[in-house]
Amino acid sequence: QVQLVESGGGLVQAGGSLSVSCVASGSIFSINAMGWYRQAPGKQRELVATITSSGSTHYADSVKGRFTISRDNAKNTVYLRSDSLKPEDTAVYYCYADVRGGSYYNRYDCWGQGTQVTVSS
């Protein structure tokens, strides 16, 4: 099995910056796309940003120009840098990975446990 463990997050004032990271470990054959989703209280989980193994990125319109996703394939790690944070960015941020665990044929979605990001006004 592959596990994702997030770190970072916390409390920041509006206009500030924050970074979170996520490391994949376990029986990893390969990792395809990685990304970040978030879920605010009373709302559905939504896409924040994704990045392919070759580095192509995609962002939600709400974070374009403010958030930057990156990854280190050698370390099986994905990062999210968040600038110009707004109170509406407050949510639990979840790491996601499209993995092949143990073999090429064992492909599945993997999720982290989530890390809280709170932006105060």
Side-chain angles (χ1 to χ4, degrees), residues 9 18 48 103 118:
L18 202 63
V48 176
S103 74
T118 302

Side-chain angles (χ1 to χ4, degrees), residues 87-114:
E88 51 263 44
D89 294 317
T90 295
V92 177
Y93 283 68
Y94 295 92
C95 177
Y96 158 83
D98 173 8
V99 305
R100 296 185 192 273
S103 74
Y104 176 85
Y105 301 102
N106 188 27
R107 184 174 183 176
Y108 56 92
D109 295 337
C110 195
W111 293 89
Q113 79 286 356

